[in-house]
Amino acid sequence: MEVTDSLNFGHKDRKDIYEYIESHGTVREDEVRRALNFEPAALGAHLTILRRDGYIRKVGKHVEVAYAPEKEQTVELDGLDVTIRMAQNVDLESLVEAIHEVADEGRYIEAETVADVLDHEEVVLRHNDVSSRMVFVATVDEKLAGWVHLDLPEAEKLSHTAVLTVGTRPEYRGHGIGSRLLEQGVEWARDHGFEKLYNSVPATNEGAIEFLEAHGWETEAVREGHYKIDGEYVDEVMMAVTLR
């Protein structure tokens, strides 16, 4: 199942089961049964249908949302072997740590929000009736070096847009990893029918603004004094790129 697929369960109980699994990541079947107060036979029947329809998959005694795997690739960037792949729940801790490491530099407020949401929800990928998200990570020697996050609204009037955040840990900068992650995010969004991407940064983050501009992004709006950083009011620069 793609994170952009329509959700249609045909039964309230199956919707409840999917939503529980989707919000908890990988969970044991007996946990689902106890949490939702199902008889074993009834739960088994609903899980069978959800698996048949491609919504969930079974992993041992656990179940999880059956997100379609994205192609993993390893590229050489400035002497480093960098693997770009779809993020998984096992990446959660290091992903949150990496995003906070970048956000704590004080110049990427949206990334800080992403890290807080991931840390609170304890689930990497999401797909429900309210919102969805896709995350790719870059790893070097199996250490998470950077990420690109796409917030995908489900509201019909916004469904052609997405908000992208991207970042690279300081020790991995200067090798082109950020550019490759940005390209991955943009390519994925274009392939899945999105028409426009947004990214907002403080005006003081000149490096991020120059980075995005170098990749074809433009300033669409400026909100004066939107941020307060270290006691100083800082403008928010709202940047965008059109994919069509």
Side-chain angles (χ1 to χ4, degrees), residues 2 15 27 62 72 76 108 112 155 181-182 193 230 235 237:
E2 300 276 1
K15 183 175 187 292
V27 294
H62 294 74
E72 178 180 312
E76 183 178 340
Y108 205 171
E112 183 177 348
L181 283 165
L182 181 63
D230 297 330
D235 295 347
V237 180

Side-chain angles (χ1 to χ4, degrees), residues 49-244:
I49 295 172
L50 287 169
R51 288 198 300 271
R52 180 200 69 190
D53 293 345
Y55 287 114
I56 67 169
R57 59 174 159 249
K58 191 171 182 178
V59 183
K61 294 182 179 180
H62 294 74
V63 286
E64 63 184 17
V65 175
Y67 293 113
E70 296 287 337
K71 183 179 178 181
E72 178 180 312
Q73 55 182 310
T74 299
V75 295
E76 183 178 340
L77 298 175
D78 195 28
L80 294 179
D81 289 331
V82 181
T83 299
I84 308 291
R85 59 173 174 81
M86 186 173 75
Q88 305 171 17
N89 280 333
V90 295
D91 298 311
L92 179 64
E93 184 176 350
S94 55
L95 177 61
V96 171
E97 181 182 278
I99 299 175
H100 270 307
E101 187 175 339
V102 173
D104 286 349
E105 295 175 325
R107 300 179 300 167
Y108 205 171
I109 312 304
E110 283 206 0
E112 183 177 348
T113 301
V114 168
D116 289 343
V117 170
L118 288 167
D119 196 26
H120 173 72
E121 295 181 354
E122 298 184 335
V123 180
V124 175
L125 304 182
R126 298 297 306 268
H127 182 35
N128 55 57
D129 290 335
V130 178
S131 65
S132 302
R133 63 172 172 254
M134 172 57 74
V135 186
F136 292 93
V137 294
T139 62
V140 177
D141 295 330
E142 298 186 358
K143 183 176 180 180
L144 198 145
W147 84 94
V148 59
H149 172 283
L150 290 145
D151 185 20
L152 315 170
E154 292 295 327
E156 183 178 352
K157 294 179 181 178
L158 293 173
S159 60
H160 63 294
T161 70
V163 177
L164 179 149
T165 58
V166 60
T168 307
R169 284 180 143 163
E171 65 264 38
Y172 292 105
R173 292 174 187 165
H175 299 281
I177 296 175
S179 293
R180 185 64 193 86
L181 283 165
L182 181 63
E183 291 168 5
Q184 176 69 37
V186 170
E187 179 182 320
W188 184 90
R190 181 182 289 113
D191 289 346
H192 287 78
F194 290 90
E195 299 174 20
K196 200 167 191 178
L197 297 178
Y198 292 94
N199 191 346
S200 295
V201 296
T204 51
N205 194 342
E206 296 176 356
I209 294 171
E210 292 174 358
F211 170 74
L212 291 170
E213 287 177 341
H215 290 82
W217 292 59
E218 298 179 347
T219 298
E220 187 162 279
V222 175
R223 292 203 284 186
E224 296 184 3
H226 183 66
Y227 300 121
K228 193 173 185 180
I229 303 175
D230 297 330
E232 299 290 333
Y233 291 100
V234 178
D235 295 347
E236 176 192 41
V237 180
M238 302 175 69
M239 306 195 70
V241 64
T242 299
L243 304 183
R244 292 187 176 181

